[in-house]
Amino acid sequence: MRIEAGRFTVRLAESDADVAAAQRLRYRVFVEEMGAHASPEEHEARCERDEFDPYFDHLLLIDNEAASEDPMDKVAGAYRLMTGDMARRGIGFYGASEYDLGRLVDYPRETLELGRSCVSAEHRGGAGMHLLWTGLGQYVAERNVEIMFGVASFHGADVAPLAQPLSHLHYNHLAPEDLRVRALPEHFTAMDILPPDEVNRAEALRLIPALIKAYLRLGGFVGEGAYVDRDFNTVDVCLLMDTSRMVQRYRSFYSRADRGSAARVLG
């Protein structure tokens, strides 16, 4: 797959060098910005990586007009993608270390795990981010994915300041029973921290990260329980989504692009 629009290209990684460039972006975002733990080897290489990387597809947003001429600095956005079929043939889902994913492992239709999603600071919320989502929609459509899921993070490993957003998610966006994955017992952190009548919707929404709100706008749900990831300095929730709405957005993009209006679609 390959999508070209203005200064950006979206495509899957085609080489070890492409994957390393995604890992360099992940290092800048997760380690340098968010304070995630990294090994001495990762610090030396300035790449955030793990044993799951070889088993995932890596979707890249490439800024062809980036100031740096180093190809390692041209990747402006990235996703790790693993279908259920890939998980069964390989290492399994990354999220299984945080959540009981049995219902998704045995799901009768194709699933897709998203991970390590990040966009460089200068492109968050802009055209590049929307184009990355368009590429994700193409990937989903081509593989007939029906359920998409993955852990999404709040910055910081302290649950107390997140009482409002976590409670709001629990009471208003809990996944239906047949898809309701649950944080593993040894890591389970309750999300219904406040009683319903003490949840302030406006305050909760203010504290929910933009990426999580984007999934919710597309009809997303959350699993039960949060996971405190001290290595990454985050509190994680598991997001799940029926992909039909994302596929419709992808098809809408191409129908408008065919009429010459791609620039308007990309903001």
Side-chain angles (χ1 to χ4, degrees), residues 77-96:
Y79 264 109
R80 284 201 319 194
L81 309 174
M82 180 184 285
T83 65
D85 182 60
M86 292 162 63
R88 286 186 289 272
R89 290 186 286 108
I91 198 172
F93 289 128
Y94 171 84

Side-chain angles (χ1 to χ4, degrees), residues 96-176:
S97 63
E98 300 185 12
Y99 285 83
D100 180 353
L101 301 179
R103 294 180 180 183
L104 299 176
V105 171
D106 298 329
Y107 196 73
R109 297 180 180 85
E110 189 61 279
T111 58
L112 177 68
E113 181 179 36
L114 309 178
R116 293 298 199 273
S117 58
C118 57
V119 176
S120 60
E122 62 269 30
H123 294 303
R124 289 171 199 161
M129 189 170 180
H130 291 294
L131 188 62
L132 187 61
W133 271 60
T134 299
L136 179 59
Q138 179 176 339
Y139 187 97
V140 163
E142 289 176 350
R143 289 157 181 79
N144 297 313
V145 171
E146 294 199 7
I147 299 296
M148 192 167 68
F149 71 97
V151 295
S153 302
F154 290 83
H155 182 50
D158 185 0
V159 173
L162 303 176
Q164 286 286 348
L166 291 177
S167 299
H168 174 80
L169 291 173
H170 178 87
Y171 293 126
N172 296 283
H173 298 284
L174 200 61

